Amino acid sequence: MLPDGSTKVSISSSQRERPKSVYAKGKGSTIFRHREAKPCCLCWCCCFSCSCLSLHGTQPKIPNSGVVMKQRNEKPTSEDVKRWSKSFDCLMNHKVGQQMFADFLKSEFSEENILFWQACEDLKREKNSDKIEEKARIIYEDFVSILSPKEISLDSRVREIVNNNMARPNAHTFDEAQAQIYTLMQRDSYPRFIGSEFFKQLRFTFADTE
């Protein structure tokens, strides 16, 4: 007890030195790190051990995406458009439908998911090993790196798989990530696309051409 009636509070050295933690919200997940954590470097290969990659999130059921999707290239019919309204797979299996979906996402300023998915499809078609490594590096920098303005939302488990795969990039480096993004588009973007004026006009246009 001090002369003025107040109580002296002592703080141990361990309490003074304990680092404070902060939460930094990322896309669809929460990043937990100490204030002392070093910022990510610009090099994709150095991000593997960065503390910013310690993400926590849910793990949705992920379909297999190890095989390149075969697309139809012919002009769509009104029946095709009807199928698109009922099946995301049918939409993505048709080159024109996929492009329409990409245009819609671009109008929403959220085209990074479809661009990443398409880049992964292109990577799986590549046969030249040197080009595979180069394309994998570009995909990582453009869509997976937390420094990218087009960063996609991946949970911690899938992000760790991608980081490990980048030690030896191959045509299937991003299979798990691609599957997760496909599921995300199907669950989130596809219903908005089907219910949009964009798609209603699309159905009307193709109905008039037959």
Side-chain angles (χ1 to χ4, degrees):
M1 181 76 71
L2 299 177
D4 60 359
S6 61
T7 303
K8 183 178 180 180
V9 179
S10 61
I11 301 176
S12 66
S13 59
S14 61
Q15 288 176 308
R16 287 195 298 269
E17 296 173 357
R18 182 178 300 168
K20 295 181 179 180
S21 298
V22 294
Y23 287 92
K25 292 185 178 179
K27 294 182 179 180
S29 61
T30 302
I31 302 172
F32 180 78
R33 62 179 182 269
H34 292 302
R35 291 185 188 274
E36 292 93 325
K38 295 180 180 180
C40 289
C41 56
L42 294 177
C43 177
W44 61 268
C45 59
C46 297
C47 287
F48 296 166
S49 59
C50 177
S51 61
C52 294
L53 294 181
S54 179
L55 303 181
H56 302 277
T58 57
Q59 297 180 8
K61 187 179 292 185
I62 301 175
N64 177 31
S65 68
V67 180
V68 177
M69 180 177 284
K70 295 181 179 179
Q71 289 186 329
R72 293 174 54 199
N73 296 318
E74 67 268 19
K75 180 181 177 181
T77 65
S78 60
E79 286 301 315
D80 287 323
V81 177
K82 288 179 182 178
R83 293 189 192 98
W84 298 349
S85 68
K86 298 178 181 179
S87 169
F88 184 61
D89 291 338
C90 287
L91 175 69
M92 294 293 283
N93 271 317
H94 201 293
K95 186 174 182 179
V96 176
Q98 188 181 127
Q99 185 57 52
M100 294 292 183
F101 182 56
D103 290 343
F104 169 74
L105 294 180
K106 187 175 182 179
S107 72
E108 286 195 330
F109 303 99
S110 60
E111 71 269 34
E112 64 274 2
N113 286 335
I114 187 71
L115 292 177
F116 168 74
W117 187 88
Q118 290 172 337
C120 291
E121 289 292 285
D122 178 65
L123 178 65
K124 287 186 289 189
R125 285 189 289 265
E126 183 59 63
K127 303 301 181 183
N128 185 297
S129 58
D130 291 335
K131 289 185 178 180
I132 286 175
E133 185 171 350
E134 180 184 359
K135 287 184 177 182
R137 178 181 59 81
I138 292 173
I139 291 173
Y140 188 94
E141 291 177 345
D142 284 351
F143 301 106
V144 181
S145 170
I146 62 174
L147 298 177
S148 172
K150 296 183 292 185
E151 180 196 2
I152 57 174
S153 179
L154 299 174
D155 66 32
S156 58
R157 182 187 68 86
V158 173
R159 185 175 287 271
E160 183 177 1
I161 291 173
V162 172
N163 288 340
N164 291 335
N165 289 346
M166 284 300 294
R168 290 186 176 182
N170 59 60
H172 299 283
T173 292
F174 302 99
D175 280 359
E176 288 81 3
Q178 185 189 17
Q180 189 169 92
I181 292 303
Y182 188 90
T183 300
L184 179 63
M185 291 191 295
Q186 183 177 28
R187 183 182 60 204
D188 182 45
S189 304
Y190 174 63
R192 293 201 310 274
F193 172 67
I194 296 304
S196 68
E197 288 298 324
F198 186 95
F199 188 73
K200 291 177 183 177
Q201 183 61 40
L202 183 66
R203 294 188 67 168
F204 179 77
T205 299
F206 279 95
D208 280 353
T209 59
E210 296 187 353

